[in-house]
Amino acid sequence: MARLLVLVNSVVLLLFGSDMFLVGANRPPAPVNVSVMHLRADSVTVSWDVPEGDIIIGFSISQQRQDGHMQRFIREVNTTSRSCVLWDLEEETDYIIQVQSIGLYGESQASKKVHFRTLKKTDRFPSNSSNQDDPTVQGLDKSRHLQTGEMIIIVVVLVMWAAVIALFCRQYDIIKDNDSSNNKEKAKPSSERSTPEHHSGGLLRSKFHPSVPSINIIEV
C-alpha cells in the first residue's frame, strides 16, 4: 500500500513538472533594448524590442518610484505596439520601469530595470526630428492645425457677414433716396394745380362770381 502511494505521488509530480516545463518553455522571452525617450516633466515614452519568432499578443509595464513605492502597473493585450506613453508623472522624480511580453502561454520574465528622472516644468524639451514619431507630439500638432483651421473659418464667416450687412445698408440707402425723390415729384404738380392760370397769363375768374355793373357817364 505504501509503495502504491509513493508510485502515485511520483506520477503526479512527474506530470505536474512536465506541464510546468512545457508552459515555461512556451513563454515568450523578455523584451530587450528597453529605453525611454521624449522625456518631460509629467510624461515619458517607453519603447522596447521583442525577439523574432515568438507570438506576442500584448505587454505589461511596471512603473515605480526609485524609493520603492509602486506607482502603476499597465497591462494591454491584443496589440502589437512596442511603445507606451506614461502620463501623470511627478517632476524631478526618479522612476524605475520594467517591461514584460504577453504570449499565448503566459508572460515573459521582466526585462532589465531602466532608470530615468523627469524634468522640471520650466525645462523645455529639445526639439528634434525624432519628436515627430511621438504620438503625443503628433496629437499636439493636429490640435494646433485644427485650431488654426477653425480660426480661419471664423474669420471668413465674419468677413462674409460684414459684406452682406454693408450691401444691405447700401441698398437701403438707395431705396430711401428713390422714395424721397418720388415724393417730391408727386408734391410739385399738386401745388401747381392749386393756383390755375388762364392761358393768357391772368388768373381765371370763377363763373359763379357776379359781374360788376358798368356805369356810363353822359356829359351835358
Side-chain angles (χ1 to χ4, degrees):
M1 187 64 180
R3 291 181 179 180
L4 181 60
L5 291 176
V6 171
L7 181 61
V8 171
N9 290 332
S10 300
V11 172
V12 171
L13 291 175
L14 180 62
L15 293 175
F16 182 77
S18 62
D19 292 339
M20 292 294 295
F21 176 78
L22 291 175
V23 171
N26 292 327
R27 285 183 177 179
V32 296
N33 299 328
V34 180
S35 61
V36 295
M37 56 183 180
H38 312 308
L39 188 63
R40 295 183 173 85
D42 58 350
S43 66
V44 70
T45 301
V46 183
S47 63
W48 62 90
D49 295 327
V50 176
E52 297 181 358
D54 295 287
I55 299 176
I56 306 299
I57 61 173
F59 64 87
S60 62
I61 300 177
S62 62
Q63 167 196 326
Q64 63 180 6
R65 295 195 339 195
Q66 193 167 355
D67 56 10
H69 176 67
M70 176 61 69
Q71 188 77 5
R72 183 180 300 170
F73 187 81
I74 302 172
R75 180 184 175 92
E76 186 173 349
V77 295
N78 297 327
T79 180
T80 58
S81 177
R82 298 293 181 265
S83 64
C84 179
V85 180
L86 305 180
W87 296 94
D88 299 328
L89 303 179
E90 298 180 6
E91 62 174 335
E92 293 188 292
T93 304
D94 295 315
Y95 287 92
I96 301 174
I97 57 172
Q98 287 182 291
V99 184
Q100 292 177 275
S101 296
I102 301 176
L104 297 175
Y105 300 99
E107 298 181 358
S108 68
Q109 296 292 328
S111 65
K112 295 182 179 179
K113 295 182 179 180
V114 176
H115 301 256
F116 68 90
R117 182 179 177 85
T118 54
L119 304 177
K120 290 182 181 181
K121 290 184 178 180
T122 56
D123 293 339
R124 292 185 177 181
F125 184 73
S127 59
N128 50 50
S129 59
S130 62
N131 290 346
Q132 302 301 325
D133 299 331
D134 189 0
T136 58
V137 176
Q138 293 177 358
L140 291 174
D141 292 339
K142 289 181 180 179
S143 63
R144 290 171 184 168
H145 290 318
L146 288 176
Q147 292 177 358
T148 304
E150 292 173 356
M151 291 299 297
I152 293 175
I153 293 173
I154 292 173
V155 171
V156 171
V157 171
L158 291 176
V159 170
M160 292 178 64
W161 271 107
V164 171
I165 293 173
L167 181 61
F168 176 79
C169 294
R170 178 62 179 168
Q171 293 295 331
Y172 177 77
D173 292 337
I174 293 173
I175 294 171
K176 187 176 179 181
D177 293 339
N178 291 335
D179 291 341
S180 61
S181 299
N182 293 333
N183 293 333
K184 290 180 179 179
E185 292 295 333
K186 291 179 180 179
K188 185 176 180 180
S190 62
S191 62
E192 291 178 354
R193 286 195 297 268
S194 61
T195 57
E197 295 182 355
H198 193 265
H199 59 84
S200 61
L203 295 176
L204 293 176
R205 292 183 178 181
S206 178
K207 62 181 179 177
F208 299 104
H209 190 277
S211 59
V212 178
S214 60
I215 300 174
N216 295 325
I217 303 173
I218 300 174
E219 296 181 356
V220 178

